[in-house]
């Protein structure tokens, strides 16, 4: 057993990032420190991905190897920082703020700190994390490789793994999942910093505009909720912010540094979530076409190298997907996510239905009116609102108002984006603003063209909201007086309080607060009925002499709590999926042959509740089958 | 590996009152008592 004190090693990746950041600040005499922050993050992401893939290839992902890696990176960054060539040119002059600006800045800082506290104190308990985000991480740790393995939940295999690579390193180094939520939280911080930089450098926003951009990002309801989770939409949002910054820099200054930084950000975005394709494409197209129009021939070598960088970052995961599923994206859109018709009315239906997800209010009456309006529009368009070709669930419905990370809408923010885009159309503005607005709209349209509607799409649209922040900041501060911008900022900060304090999955205050509730209970917050069965089965397993446990669970059932309750991977218990019937059954166990002495299986029967659509009554059982010596030990 | 089919004993845990799957089953409460 590894001693607990070793968990201080979790500070090493942060130390490495800080030293890289300071080194870049030192050389960036002409630049804002925020650029150095983004460059340091992208460098860190590339190092993380490279280390994960290389160590994984040799089956050497372990506490020792990962610790040695980050120690070496930190030492190298320290040596570079202290080298003679490095001159400390960064300016740390604190800008002057008006009273309202200072209030807004403090508001942003308080939101970030409060969400960070939740991220640090609460265990990962997001639904998708319990089924695959966190489960794949513990399988990787057990297997010492990110290679595919037999599983009942193939999302553990084909889904983009970038965010989980970061969690993997923190989990290995800390010997626990106590820092897992910080990956999304750090992405929120980076998203805020990057949005203000884009507002300033690309869109020419003044201090007010940059501050509004920061407030806009920090107060996105879905962002606040997700930033303390182990989902990956904020991680994608952050890498996209980096990409948009560097690709727009590349358009104006097509240097190797900007080309490589843009390519690395895009590669990391794609490695995190396929949504990167739809959101990044319009920005990529606009910037590359404009850059080529000016400097035609000189750019091709850089574009070729950039393409190679994007491909190299994604090579490992794409290759594994290609090998098992026959496509670099895995089952991808065939998994049921992709639209099956591209007729204009159908795309229009998706646009209306996706926008409607953000318009829920605490008033049921208003929500009912909203849903009626959406249905009326569909009737007028002559489109079936429940068309299975464009609808992931069996029926369309607008989730009721919630403070939940899967369904919360962003009504105020959507209105502000709408206002900013509308003002671009109705007033004369800079070309840069128009192009930026066009890229946001194009990203949203692509999203509607590619993906079937889901009631959980508000979550997947988080990157669009974060990317819109610089535009909102620039436009609002550009066309309104400071008093109006300041008042709007204060309204946004105040409106964020419920989402910070009453996150349904991880509330900060109240009787169910994370400060009061036990850690084990918190894992089951999104499906509390499972707890007793899981606790009973795992306690029982601890009482028998069996260290090879097979797992038979449904494709969307909780797996991760089994690992936690069986010892968080620190007990000498090996857990593998058995009796797998999907495509992954072809794969051999990366750790070698497996013969279980016990098998855990979920038996979860769902019955529809009469008269209550979308509600199910579950009968939950966990079976433990024992054989041989394990069974005798129980006698 | 298939998980094997010749299982000697099956134990069931759950929130439902009716969770028996075979006659040799112990109930959840019995197991808790046994462990304690």
């Amino acid at each position: 057993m590894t001693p607990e004190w070793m968990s201080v090693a979790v500070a090493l990746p942060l130390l490495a990032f800080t030293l890289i950041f300071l080194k870049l600040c030192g050389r960036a005499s002409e630049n804002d420190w925020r650029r150095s922050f983004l460059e340091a993050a992208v460098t860190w992401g590339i190092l993380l991905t490279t280390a994960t893939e290389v160590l994984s290839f040799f089956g050497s992902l372990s506490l020792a190897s990962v610790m040695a890696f980050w120690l070496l990176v930190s030492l190298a960054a320290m040596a570079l920082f202290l080298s003679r060539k490095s001159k400390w040119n960064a300016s740390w002059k604190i800008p002057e703020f008006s009273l309202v600006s200072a209030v807004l800045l403090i508001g942003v800082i308080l939101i970030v700190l409060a969400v960070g506290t939740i991220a640090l104190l609460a265990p990962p308990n997001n639904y998708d994390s319990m089924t695959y985000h966190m489960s794949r991480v513990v399988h990787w740790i057990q297997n010492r490789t990110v290679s595919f393995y037999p599983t009942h939940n193939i999302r553990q295999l084909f889904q983009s793994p970038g965010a989980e690579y970061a969690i993997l390193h923190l989990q290995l180094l800390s010997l626990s999942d106590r820092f897992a939520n910080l990956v999304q939280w750090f992405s929120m911080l980076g998203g805020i910093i990057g949005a203000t930089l884009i507002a300033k450098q690309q869109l020419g926003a003044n201090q007010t505009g940059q501050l509004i951009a920061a407030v806009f990002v920090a107060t996105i309801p879905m962002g606040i909720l997700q930033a303390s989770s182990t989902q990956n939409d904020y991680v994608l949002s952050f890498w996209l912010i980096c990409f948009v910054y560097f690709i727009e820099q590349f358009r104006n200054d097509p240097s190797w540094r900007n080309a490589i930084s843009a390519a690395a950000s895009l590669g990391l975005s794609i490695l995190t979530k396929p949504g990167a394709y739809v959101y990044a494409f319009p920005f990529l197209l606009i910037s590359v076409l404009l850059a080529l129009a000016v400097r035609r021939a000189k750019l091709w070598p850089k574009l070729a190298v950039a393409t190679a960088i994007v491909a190299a970052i994604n090579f490992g995961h794409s290759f594994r997907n290609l090998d098992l599923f026959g496509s670099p994206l895995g089952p991808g859109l065939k998994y049921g996510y992709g639209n099956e018709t591209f007729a204009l009315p159908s795309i229009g239906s998706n646009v209306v239905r996706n926008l409607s997800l953000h318009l829920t209010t605490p008033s049921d009456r208003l929500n009912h009116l909203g849903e009626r309006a959406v249905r009326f529009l569909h009737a007028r368009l002559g489109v079936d609102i429940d068309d299975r070709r464009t609808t992931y669930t069996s029926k369309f419905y607008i989730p009721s108002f919630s403070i939940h990370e899967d369904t919360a809408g962003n009504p105020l923010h959507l209105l502000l984006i709408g206002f900013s885009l509308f003002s671009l159309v109705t007033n004369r503005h800079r070309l840069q603003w128009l192009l930026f607005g066009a890229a946001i709209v194009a990203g949203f349209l692509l999203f509607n063209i590619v993906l079937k509607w889901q009631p959980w799409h508000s979550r997947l649209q988080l990157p669009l909201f974060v990317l819109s922040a610089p535009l909102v900041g620039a436009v609002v501060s550009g066309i309104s007086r400071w008093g109006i911008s300041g008042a709007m900022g204060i309204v946004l900060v105040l409106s964020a309080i419920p989402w910070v304090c009453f996150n349904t999955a991880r509330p900060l205050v109240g009787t169910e607060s994370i400060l009061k509730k036990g850690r084990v209970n918190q894992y089951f917050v999104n499906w509390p009925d499972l707890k007793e069965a899981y606790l009973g089965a795992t306690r029982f397993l601890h009482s028998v002499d069996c260290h090879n446990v097979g797992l038979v669970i449904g494709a969307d059932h909780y797996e991760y709590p089994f690992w936690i309750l069986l010892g968080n991977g620190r007990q000498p218990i090996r857990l593998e999926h058995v009796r797998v019937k999907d495509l992954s059954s072809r794969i051999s166990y990366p750790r070698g042959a497996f013969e279980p002495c016990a098998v855990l299986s979920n038996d979860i029967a769902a019955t529809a509740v009469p008269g209550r659509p979308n509600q199910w009554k579950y009968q939950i059982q966990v079976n433990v089958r024992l054989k041989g010596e394990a069974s005798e030990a129980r006698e | 590996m298939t998980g094997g089919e010749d299982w000697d004993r099956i134990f069931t845990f759950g929130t439902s009152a009716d969770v028996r799957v075979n006659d040799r089953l112990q109930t959840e409460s019995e197991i808790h008592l046994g462990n304690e």
Side-chain angles (χ1 to χ4, degrees):
Chain A
M1 185 82 93
T2 316
E4 287 286 340
W5 65 264
M6 293 281 279
S7 61
V8 295
V10 77
L12 282 172
L14 181 63
L15 177 67
F17 171 80
T18 308
L19 290 168
I20 296 167
F21 170 58
L22 291 175
K23 166 67 190 166
L24 290 169
C25 276
R27 65 176 281 187
S29 57
E30 77 285 11
N31 289 320
D32 199 300
W33 65 269
R34 290 172 285 188
R35 178 183 171 117
S36 303
F37 185 95
L38 300 191
E39 281 185 333
V42 172
T43 307
W44 188 93
I46 297 299
L47 288 166
L48 171 89
T49 307
T50 309
T52 306
E53 291 290 353
V54 171
L55 291 173
S56 178
F57 183 77
F58 293 105
S60 305
L61 271 176
S62 65
L63 168 62
S65 64
V66 169
M67 196 193 306
F69 171 76
W70 287 113
L71 199 59
L72 281 175
V73 171
S74 300
L75 289 173
M78 175 74 87
L80 283 171
F81 179 62
L82 297 176
S83 68
R84 284 184 187 173
K85 286 179 184 174
S86 184
K87 290 179 184 172
W88 185 260
N89 293 320
S91 164
W92 291 95
K93 196 173 71 179
I94 298 173
E96 289 181 13
F97 289 106
S98 68
L99 180 64
V100 177
S101 299
V103 168
L104 291 181
L105 189 61
I106 290 169
V108 169
I109 291 170
L110 287 178
I111 290 170
V112 171
L113 287 179
V115 174
T117 305
I118 298 169
L120 204 52
L121 294 181
N125 63 3
N126 161 266
Y127 191 106
D128 285 346
S129 301
M130 298 299 95
T131 60
Y132 71 96
H133 291 298
M134 294 301 292
S135 306
R136 72 200 308 198
V137 169
V138 278
H139 275 287
W140 294 341
I141 291 174
Q142 173 176 272
N143 295 339
R144 293 179 156 230
T145 168
V146 295
S147 297
F148 287 177
Y149 51 87
T151 171
H152 295 283
N153 184 349
I154 56 167
R155 284 184 297 172
Q156 292 178 4
L157 307 182
F158 77 82
Q159 295 281 31
S160 307
E164 289 93 324
Y165 282 2
I167 295 172
L168 166 71
H169 282 234
L170 297 182
Q171 196 121 335
L172 272 169
L173 292 170
S174 69
L175 314 169
S176 76
D177 58 11
R178 288 192 175 272
F179 301 91
N181 293 328
L182 288 183
V183 176
Q184 285 256 97
W185 175 80
F186 184 85
S187 302
M188 179 198 206
L189 179 67
I192 292 170
I193 291 170
T196 64
L197 184 62
I198 294 172
K200 177 190 174 190
Q201 293 198 351
Q202 256 91 49
L203 304 177
N206 57 17
Q207 188 196 63
T208 308
Q210 294 170 52
L211 209 45
I212 293 295
V215 170
F216 186 92
V217 177
T219 57
I220 299 169
M222 177 53 79
I224 292 171
L225 299 172
Q226 269 209 53
S228 60
S229 81
T230 39
Q231 276 284 15
N232 53 15
D233 301 277
Y234 230 134
V235 180
L236 171 62
S237 305
F238 175 52
W239 292 134
L240 283 173
I241 278 279
C242 294
F243 168 69
V244 168
Y245 172 74
F246 289 118
I247 194 72
E248 301 244 337
Q249 287 286 302
F250 176 77
R251 189 206 305 171
N252 302 322
D253 169 23
S255 63
W256 276 106
R257 191 170 165 185
N258 283 331
I260 291 169
S261 299
S265 319
L266 181 61
L268 290 168
S269 304
I270 293 170
L271 190 70
T272 302
K273 200 154 186 148
Y277 291 108
V278 295
Y279 296 138
F281 182 69
F283 285 100
L284 179 70
L285 192 67
I286 290 172
S287 293
V288 170
L289 286 181
L290 287 176
L292 278 173
V294 180
R295 303 173 178 84
R296 200 168 294 266
K298 288 182 182 172
L299 292 188
W300 288 114
K302 285 169 186 158
L303 292 177
V305 170
T307 308
I309 290 172
V310 175
I313 291 170
N314 287 279
F315 176 78
H317 183 63
S318 300
F319 180 80
R320 289 187 287 275
N321 263 340
L322 186 67
D323 192 34
L324 183 62
F325 298 105
S327 159
L329 294 173
L333 297 175
K334 288 179 192 162
Y335 196 67
Y337 301 136
N339 263 335
E340 292 168 39
T341 173
F342 303 100
L344 214 53
S346 299
I347 306 305
S349 161
N350 276 355
V351 168
V352 171
R353 291 185 300 167
N354 276 317
L355 289 176
S356 73
L357 294 173
H358 297 287
L359 299 178
T360 51
T361 68
S363 160
D364 284 342
R365 198 173 160 202
L366 276 178
N367 299 339
H368 184 61
L369 277 175
E371 188 162 336
R372 276 182 64 185
V374 173
R375 292 187 181 279
F376 175 76
L377 260 173
H378 278 75
R380 292 300 296 266
L381 281 169
V383 184
D384 177 7
I385 202 166
D386 303 318
D387 188 346
R388 294 309 300 268
R389 296 171 303 168
T390 58
T391 310
Y392 183 76
T393 46
S394 59
K395 285 210 173 293
F396 166 77
Y397 66 94
I398 301 179
S400 52
F401 175 80
S402 79
I403 307 184
H404 193 275
E405 61 202 356
D406 285 341
T407 50
N410 312 314
L412 272 181
H413 293 72
L414 182 65
L415 285 175
L416 281 172
I417 293 170
F419 166 77
S420 303
L421 293 173
F422 183 71
S423 69
L424 291 184
V425 178
T426 55
N427 298 302
R428 282 188 176 184
H429 290 294
R430 298 177 202 179
L431 176 67
Q432 190 66 13
W433 291 9
L434 278 170
L435 290 174
F436 203 93
I440 297 284
V441 172
F444 180 61
L445 287 177
L446 276 177
F447 181 87
N448 287 286
I449 291 169
V450 173
L451 293 174
K452 283 183 179 177
W453 177 88
Q454 298 181 13
W456 311 285
H457 261 175
S458 170
R459 183 165 67 69
L460 271 63
Q461 291 163 14
L462 177 65
L464 266 187
F465 281 85
V466 177
L467 287 173
S468 300
L471 184 69
V472 172
V475 172
V476 168
S477 64
I479 65 170
S480 64
R481 284 182 301 182
W482 166 223
I484 296 173
S485 306
M488 193 199 81
I490 288 174
V491 168
L492 283 179
V493 168
L494 291 176
S495 74
I497 293 172
W499 278 269
V500 173
C501 295
F502 304 112
N503 182 338
T504 309
R506 293 172 296 280
L508 197 53
V509 296
T511 51
E512 295 295 306
S513 166
I514 55 165
L515 304 173
K516 298 175 186 167
K517 204 165 186 160
R519 195 170 173 88
V520 167
N521 287 336
Q522 288 185 55
Y523 285 106
F524 294 96
V525 159
N526 283 312
W527 200 344
D529 292 344
L530 293 180
K531 193 187 85 181
E532 288 309 316
Y534 275 54
L535 276 176
T538 50
R539 277 179 190 158
F540 172 65
L541 265 176
H542 278 302
S543 74
V544 300
D545 184 27
C546 173
H547 295 148
N548 289 312
V549 178
L551 196 56
V552 181
I553 58 171
D556 197 30
H557 287 173
Y558 274 31
E559 175 180 347
Y560 185 65
F562 279 134
W563 290 81
I564 291 298
L565 295 170
L566 286 173
N568 200 14
R570 303 197 66 204
Q571 303 290 328
I573 291 179
R574 183 177 171 192
L575 205 56
E576 302 275 15
H577 289 247
V578 296
R579 297 185 205 158
V580 174
K581 294 191 175 74
D582 59 45
L583 215 50
S584 69
S585 63
R586 296 180 190 171
I587 311 168
S588 306
Y589 293 108
R591 266 189 72 175
F594 180 67
E595 192 64 41
C597 38
V599 170
L600 274 171
S601 63
N602 270 355
D603 184 1
I604 302 179
T607 328
V609 179
R612 303 179 78 173
N614 308 314
Q615 291 198 16
W616 303 82
K617 184 181 177 186
Y618 288 96
Q619 185 176 16
I620 295 159
Q621 291 179 189
V622 175
N623 300 313
V624 183
R625 290 172 166 78
L626 292 184
K627 73 172 177 182
E629 291 173 4
S631 180
E632 286 158 21
R634 238 347 258 181
E635 298 293 344
Chain B
M1 158 60 228
T2 63
E5 273 67 41
D6 299 326
W7 298 97
D8 298 324
R9 303 183 71 174
I10 302 176
F11 303 87
T12 299
F13 306 83
T15 51
S16 168
D18 182 17
V19 293
R20 289 174 178 268
V21 287
N22 73 17
D23 292 334
R24 296 170 61 186
L25 179 73
Q26 293 185 10
T27 65
E28 183 188 0
S29 57
E30 281 172 345
I31 287 164
H32 284 178
L33 286 172
N35 287 344
E36 284 159 7

